[in-house]
Amino acid sequence: MNIIVIYNSQTGFTKRYAEWIAEETEADCLALSAAKKKDLTAYEAIIFGSWACAGGISKINWFKSNIDKWADKKLVAFCVGGSPIDNPAIETSLKQNFNEHEQKKVKAFYCPGGFNYEKMSAPSKLMMKMFIKTLKAKKDKTEEEQIMIKMISSSYDISNKKYIEPILQYLKK
């Protein structure tokens, strides 16, 4: 199968997953900026990966705007975020990014990444600092919120190649 993996990465986690997927599937792998200039008609499968931002997938609108044009292709979207894979909110967040029509055409996956404050853009760092400050100030924090504060207060990496396995299995179907 002729596959392309297109990624949008802010701090490197999504790029790492895109490269792992491309390596395992012998796919072409391009940053979104380069892929926008490329003719994708020859590909049988198009995989788009980007990072999670407040429940959304960054730059997903580019991918979504092409779904109908790519009706004859296998379409995959993956999102990389700082939450562990077992976070129950992930499935809901993934679905929110696609309407009912799009969900029938695109298979969405989540891959845990982490936070790398050293590589984050200034606006993203500021947004995270404000979010942490708001969480810390909250009275009667849940156990989940207390864990989240500990996790996102500094850089960490929970990415692992094993998390691409569901994507690889889907492509083999």
Side-chain angles (χ1 to χ4, degrees):
M1 183 183 294
N2 193 11
I3 302 170
I4 187 165
V5 181
I6 300 163
Y7 66 89
N8 173 53
S9 188
Q10 179 178 218
T11 61
F13 295 105
T14 306
K15 181 180 181 186
R16 180 185 302 155
Y17 276 110
E19 289 171 344
W20 284 340
I21 294 165
E23 177 185 302
E24 291 296 320
T25 60
E26 298 180 359
D28 292 337
C29 187
L30 291 175
L32 177 58
S33 57
K36 284 180 175 180
K37 301 170 192 163
K38 187 169 174 69
D39 178 9
L40 305 177
T41 54
Y43 293 99
E44 299 164 86
I46 299 173
I47 302 169
F48 175 75
S50 193
W51 49 280
C53 182
I57 302 173
S58 178
K59 308 288 184 188
I60 194 66
N61 287 337
W62 170 82
F63 182 76
K64 289 171 55 162
S65 70
N66 289 292
I67 289 174
D68 289 331
K69 183 169 79 175
W70 297 332
D72 62 331
K73 302 182 185 315
K74 189 171 256 195
L75 301 178
V76 172
F78 70 93
C79 176
V80 179
S83 292
I85 194 85
D86 59 356
N87 183 333
I90 290 169
E91 191 172 331
T92 306
S93 291
L94 278 179
K95 282 184 179 177
Q96 286 176 183
N97 286 277
F98 301 99
N99 65 35
E100 202 172 310
H101 168 75
E102 294 162 343
Q103 287 178 27
K104 291 176 184 168
K105 296 177 180 256
V106 178
K107 182 73 173 157
F109 296 90
Y110 177 77
C111 300
F115 277 88
N116 186 333
Y117 285 100
E118 294 74 30
K119 290 185 179 179
M120 260 186 206
S121 67
S124 292
K125 276 187 206 175
L126 181 62
M127 184 180 76
M128 289 308 302
K129 283 184 181 181
M130 289 170 45
F131 179 65
I132 293 166
K133 187 176 181 179
T134 302
L135 263 183
K136 284 181 175 179
K138 184 179 175 190
K139 292 180 181 175
D140 301 322
K141 288 182 264 308
T142 65
E143 186 178 337
E144 281 181 346
E145 289 167 334
Q146 291 170 349
I147 291 168
M148 185 185 294
I149 291 168
K150 285 180 189 172
M151 280 186 76
I152 65 176
S153 291
S154 60
S155 295
Y156 63 95
D157 182 351
I158 55 174
S159 60
N160 189 308
K161 197 171 184 178
K162 71 181 180 184
Y163 296 121
I164 68 168
E165 201 53 43
I167 298 169
L168 302 177
Q169 291 301 318
Y170 176 74
L171 290 170
K172 289 176 185 173
K173 286 183 185 176

